[in-house]
Amino acid sequence: MNRTHFNLGDLLDTVSEINGPDQIALIHGDRQITWPEMTARSNNLATALRERGAVAGDKVGFYLRNQPEYIEGLAACFKGRLTHVNVNYRYIDDELVYIFENSDSVAVLYDADFRDNIARIHDRLPLVKSWVEIGGDGKTPDFAVAYETLATSGDGAPLNIARSPDDQLFLYTGGTTGMPKGVMWPHHVWRQISLDSGERVHGWAPKDLEEHKRFVQEIGQDSRLLPACPLMHGTGLFSGMGVLLGGGTIVTMDAGNSFDPGALLEVVSREKVTSIALVGDAFAKPILGELNANPKKYDLSNLATISSSGVMWSMEVKRGLIEHIPQVALMDSFGASEAVGFGMSVTTADGVFETAKFTIGEDCKVFTEDDREVVPGSGEAGVIARGGAVPLGYYKDEAKTAKTFRTINGIRYVIPGDWCTVETDGTITLLGRGSNCINSAGEKIYPEEVEEALKEHDDVRDALVVGLPDDKWGQAVTAVVEMQDGANFDAKVLADFVKTRIARYKAPKHVFNKSSLGRAPNGKADYKTIRAFAEAQLEST
């Protein structure tokens, strides 16, 4: 079999042939699910969704926090030729409807914690045939079916269907693309990138299913991943997929809306976790703070790698982590939802790379705006582009696909909009996104969406939003408002108001008042001036 012909469902069937009851697939608190159990449950779920009307290519929304059912559902989609759709669990009504409608989801897996949200919107989504509720009080709503009923009904047998390497998974992203769009990843494209990475890390990668069995037995079974970041994001999802398809163990923990570094380190120690996936300093700094406060408390001897993607990971924090975990390799990946493998920075006790500096990936180039390739060492800035194994584009959005997925000199590239320079030695230095998109703790936030939410408040005449550097968040959502005549300004009231209109994480961390936002006569905003004003206000507080 040509390596690019892999289907992820076929890979999982192959893993299930060799992983027995001694291999644990999923761990969540006191729950442990063996590989045979996970295999049977995901087979049953895939069969049930198909029996309820889902056909090859249909979309399944995942409205879940980190929990075993996310991985089981993902496996079921791969096996049943259904397309995973990630949904930010912080979304509320209109945001949820947008994602489910835009993706054409015919089934939705949701946690019982979100039952009230689903109850308010399910009548607005007639295309959804199956609302599948996970957990709860045993009283599943009339419009839904219990997940456990589907996962435990049936004989757990493989589906015995012909699959295609062109089967897909979706990864919905924000970035600079406007409203969230679904990046269409064919199985064979994602698998090709995974194999390329395997060759770099392990020196070889399986070229067929028989070799994949060898990979599982020699390497994959020993992997224990704890995704500290949400599985709904690319960093957590793709890390989890790698371990799942390799026959390893995925350890999840749900701390609700808070991140407890002590609880995470307790789990790492107890479950002998070998790898953590996180998103930059927003996760790494609290972990380092806990280790500094309790340097001998946790057994981290099995921890081999900590990987991050999505935001900058400062060298100061990396060095601190290595002091506590000297054997660990810190993997800082430069990529996007539309592309994996732009660059990699590896920090160990033996050597470090400067923050924001990456070794450029294979099939990657840096182009100027007029499609000239940037000369290394020239100091000229350009946008990074990845050729080779790239997704198909954005679902149902030909215009944005054409803008981001472009052909240059006869080669198709994906160019999400990350600006960088190329050094003489070929490394790249990341400069940032060429738009106003805010990246806060790995969450991509559109200023316009926050601005519109603020302007819904009766006392707000106008609002502009920028991202300011922040030690904890990477960038902090910062609003500058112009109040109506005679209205009282209260920053907390306005921030709380935003939380009633859009997801809480999008609400501004800082709100400042300005008598006039100084828009141009055509209504265009002067973000440069607003940013300078906000910076000055923040410094004076």
Side-chain angles (χ1 to χ4, degrees), residues 181 184 392-405:
K181 296 296 179 187
M184 300 180 288
L392 298 177
Y394 300 116
Y395 185 57
K396 298 194 306 189
D397 199 324
E398 294 182 2
K400 288 187 173 65
T401 295
K403 184 177 180 180
T404 304
F405 296 82

Side-chain angles (χ1 to χ4, degrees), residues 2-297:
N2 185 294
R3 58 190 286 172
T4 60
H5 290 174
F6 281 121
N7 173 280
L8 303 185
D10 292 341
L11 283 175
L12 282 176
D13 281 349
T14 298
V15 174
S16 300
E17 293 175 8
I18 57 177
N19 268 9
D22 292 337
Q23 274 80 43
I24 304 299
L26 306 171
I27 298 175
H28 188 88
D30 295 333
R31 295 176 63 190
Q32 288 198 350
I33 300 173
T34 67
W35 261 94
E37 290 170 339
M38 193 273 287
T39 296
R41 288 168 61 84
S42 57
N43 286 343
N44 286 339
L45 179 61
T47 299
L49 291 175
R50 289 168 65 92
E51 289 176 346
R52 296 173 68 87
V55 299
D58 275 350
K59 320 303 184 296
V60 179
F62 282 62
Y63 185 25
L64 306 170
R65 296 192 181 97
N66 286 12
Q67 54 198 98
E69 290 82 4
Y70 200 118
I71 301 301
E72 289 182 344
L74 186 66
C77 283
F78 294 160
K79 295 174 180 182
R81 303 193 65 191
L82 306 176
T83 303
H84 157 278
V85 173
N86 58 313
V87 180
N88 194 319
Y89 55 71
R90 298 182 179 93
Y91 281 177
I92 54 179
D93 299 17
D94 288 346
E95 297 162 308
L96 292 170
V97 171
Y98 169 82
I99 291 291
F100 295 138
E101 282 188 337
N102 185 262
S103 64
D104 297 320
S105 290
V106 304
V108 173
L109 310 182
Y110 72 92
D111 192 274
D113 286 350
F114 308 130
R115 178 190 295 171
D116 291 345
N117 294 353
I118 294 296
R120 289 194 301 271
I121 66 169
H122 80 276
D123 284 340
R124 298 167 59 184
L125 295 159
L127 186 63
V128 178
K129 301 173 184 176
S130 300
W131 297 96
V132 184
E133 182 172 290
I134 296 163
D137 51 13
K139 299 177 182 178
T140 306
D142 292 341
F143 61 81
V145 61
Y147 177 94
E148 281 300 307
T149 298
L150 303 186
T152 58
S153 298
D155 60 9
L159 273 66
N160 192 29
I161 58 174
R163 305 184 181 101
S164 168
D166 294 319
D167 289 345
Q168 297 179 21
L169 67 139
F170 281 6
L171 180 60
Y172 264 76
T173 179
T176 58
T177 66
M179 292 300 289
K181 296 296 179 187
V183 182
M184 300 180 288
W185 281 93
H187 285 202
H188 72 89
V189 172
W190 189 91
R191 181 58 178 167
Q192 183 64 59
I193 291 173
S194 176
L195 292 174
D196 291 343
S197 175
E199 285 187 333
R200 289 194 298 272
V201 174
H202 304 296
W204 72 282
K207 295 181 174 61
D208 55 36
L209 293 178
E210 283 303 312
E211 285 194 3
H212 188 70
K213 292 180 180 179
R214 174 190 159 202
F215 177 86
V216 170
Q217 293 168 323
E218 294 183 4
I219 298 173
Q221 288 177 340
D222 295 329
S223 298
R224 286 200 164 196
L225 168 73
L226 194 161
C229 50
L231 289 166
M232 66 178 179
H233 282 319
T235 300
L237 178 67
F238 286 176
S239 298
M241 284 172 57
V243 172
L244 175 70
L245 295 165
T249 304
I250 299 175
V251 182
T252 52
M253 52 187 299
D254 175 18
N257 293 320
S258 63
F259 174 62
D260 185 337
L264 178 139
L265 292 171
E266 288 281 5
V267 174
V268 171
S269 176
R270 182 179 70 246
E271 304 299 347
K272 303 185 186 306
V273 167
T274 63
S275 179
I276 300 173
L278 46 75
V279 182
D281 284 351
F283 289 83
K285 276 189 173 182
I287 293 173
L288 177 57
E290 175 66 18
L291 290 174
N292 286 338
N294 301 283
K296 302 296 183 181
K297 182 176 180 180

